[in-house]
C-alpha cells in the first residue's frame, strides 16, 4: 500500500497523506505506476465526458486536456521539454557526451526546443481528443494506464543517463514485472480497444530514439516517453477504426 501511495504522489497532484518510506519503497513505486495511470485516466475521461454534455467537441477536448494537465501537474510536459532541449544540444554539438546532455536537461531554464515540443504536444492532444467518438470514453481512460506501464520496460532496455530516478527504478524492476503488466495491457487492449495495441510499437520505438539521441534514460526520459506514448495511443484510437 505504501508503494501505491508513493506512485500516486510521484505521478499525480492528488491530495494524499505523507508516508514514511525508504529508498527501496521509492524504487518499488514504479511497479504501481499503471495504477496511478488509472487515476489520471479517470480524471481525463470524466473531464472529457462532462465536456461532451455541452454538445461541443472542442469544449470536451479542452476539458479533457485541462483535467490531464491538472491531475499530473504538467509533470511529464516538463520532462518532454527537458528531453527536447537535450536532444537539441546533442544535435547542435555533434558527439556531445552524456555529461553535456545531462547538464542541458538539468538546466531549469526553458529553451526554444522545449517550447516547441510542449506546444506541439498540447496541440496534438487537443486535436486528437476532439477527434475521439463518444463511445471511446473507456479507451480514453486506458490511455494513461497503458502509457505508465512503459517505464518498466524502458528501465530495463536503457542504461541510466546519470544517478537519479532512472538508476533508482532499475533496482526494483525485473523482466517478470514487464511480462505481467504487458500481459495485462494485451488483455485490456483486446477487450476494450484493439488500436491500443500500438503500445507494443511505441515502447520500443521510444527506447530506440532515446538510446540513439540521448544515450540513456532518466526521470525526464520516462516523463517525456509517457507523453509521447499517450499521444501515439490517442492517434491510434483516431486513425485505426
Amino acid at each position: 500500500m505504501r508503494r501505491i501511495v508513493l506512485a500516486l504522489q510521484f505521478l499525480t497532484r492528488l491530495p494524499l497523506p505523507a508516508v514514511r518510506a525508504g529508498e527501496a519503497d521509492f524504487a518499488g513505486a514504479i511497479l504501481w505506476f499503471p495504477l496511478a495511470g488509472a487515476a489520471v485516466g479517470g480524471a481525463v475521461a470524466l473531464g472529457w465526458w462532462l465536456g461532451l454534455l455541452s454538445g461541443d467537441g472542442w469544449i470536451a477536448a479542452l476539458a479533457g486536456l485541462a483535467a490531464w494537465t491538472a491531475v499530473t501537474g504538467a509533470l511529464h510536459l516538463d520532462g518532454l521539454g527537458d528531453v527536447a532541449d537535450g536532444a537539441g544540444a546533442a544535435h547542435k554539438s555533434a558527439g556531445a557526451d552524456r555529461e553535456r546532455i545531462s547538464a542541458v536537461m538539468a538546466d531549469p531554464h526553458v529553451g526554444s526546443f522545449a517550447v516547441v515540443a510542449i506546444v506541439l504536444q498540447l496541440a496534438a492532444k487537443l486535436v486528437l481528443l476532439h477527434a475521439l467518438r463518444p463511445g471511446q470514453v473507456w479507451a480514453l481512460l486506458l490511455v494513461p494506464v497503458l502509457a505508465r506501464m512503459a517505464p518498466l520496460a524502458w528501465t530495463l532496455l536503457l542504461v541510466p543517463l546519470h544517478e537519479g530516478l532512472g538508476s533508482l527504478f532499475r533496482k526494483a524492476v525485473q523482466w517478470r514485472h514487464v511480462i505481467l503488466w504487458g500481459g495485462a495491457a494485451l488483455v485490456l487492449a483486446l477487450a476494450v480497444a484493439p488500436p491500443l495495441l500500438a503500445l507494443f510499437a511505441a515502447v520500443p520505438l521510444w527506447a530506440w530514439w532515446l538510446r540513439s539521441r540521448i544515450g540513456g534514460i532518466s526521470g525526464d526520459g520516462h516523463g517525456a516517453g509517457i507523453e509521447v506514448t499517450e499521444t501515439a495511443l490517442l492517434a491510434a484510437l483516431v486513425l485505426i477504426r
Side-chain angles (χ1 to χ4, degrees):
M1 187 64 186
R2 179 186 302 153
R3 295 182 179 184
I4 295 175
V5 173
L6 287 172
L8 287 165
Q9 290 178 335
F10 263 137
L11 300 183
T12 76
R13 288 296 178 267
L14 297 176
L16 294 165
V19 295
R20 299 180 64 179
E23 184 177 287
D25 294 316
F26 283 108
I30 189 175
L31 303 177
W32 303 103
F33 278 8
L35 292 187
V40 175
V44 173
L46 178 61
W48 181 74
W49 182 78
L50 289 174
L52 284 177
L53 298 179
S54 70
D56 189 318
W58 284 112
I59 290 179
L62 184 59
L65 184 60
W68 215 322
T69 305
V71 74
T72 61
L75 172 69
H76 307 313
L77 288 172
D78 180 66
L80 179 66
D82 288 339
V83 168
D85 278 340
H91 177 72
K92 290 193 293 186
S93 303
D97 58 28
R98 290 183 185 176
E99 290 186 4
R100 165 64 176 159
I101 293 173
S102 293
V104 171
M105 291 171 62
D107 190 328
H109 298 92
V110 178
S112 55
F113 295 106
V115 172
V116 171
I118 292 171
V119 169
L120 286 176
Q121 172 69 358
L122 290 173
K125 279 189 170 177
L126 183 69
V127 171
L128 292 168
L129 284 169
H130 174 261
L132 289 178
R133 294 174 298 187
Q136 291 180 298
V137 64
W138 292 109
L140 174 58
L141 191 155
L142 281 182
V143 167
V145 178
L146 300 185
R148 280 154 186 79
M149 295 179 185
L152 279 79
W154 296 327
T155 294
L156 295 177
L157 291 171
L158 297 162
V159 297
L161 195 59
H162 51 69
E163 288 297 319
L165 287 179
S167 58
L168 181 64
F169 291 151
R170 198 179 182 88
K171 299 176 182 177
V173 181
Q174 299 178 16
W175 279 111
R176 61 187 175 90
H177 299 127
V178 176
I179 293 171
L180 180 64
W181 280 115
L186 181 65
V187 171
L188 289 169
L190 289 175
V192 177
L196 292 176
L197 293 172
L199 173 75
F200 294 97
V203 171
L205 280 174
W206 180 249
W208 169 80
W209 187 87
L210 269 188
R211 182 184 292 115
S212 62
R213 297 298 298 271
I214 303 295
I217 190 77
S218 64
D220 288 329
H222 283 301
I226 287 173
E227 283 287 344
V228 171
T229 302
E230 286 176 340
T231 301
L233 295 180
L234 285 176
L237 289 173
V238 170
L239 298 174
I240 306 173
R241 292 177 174 171

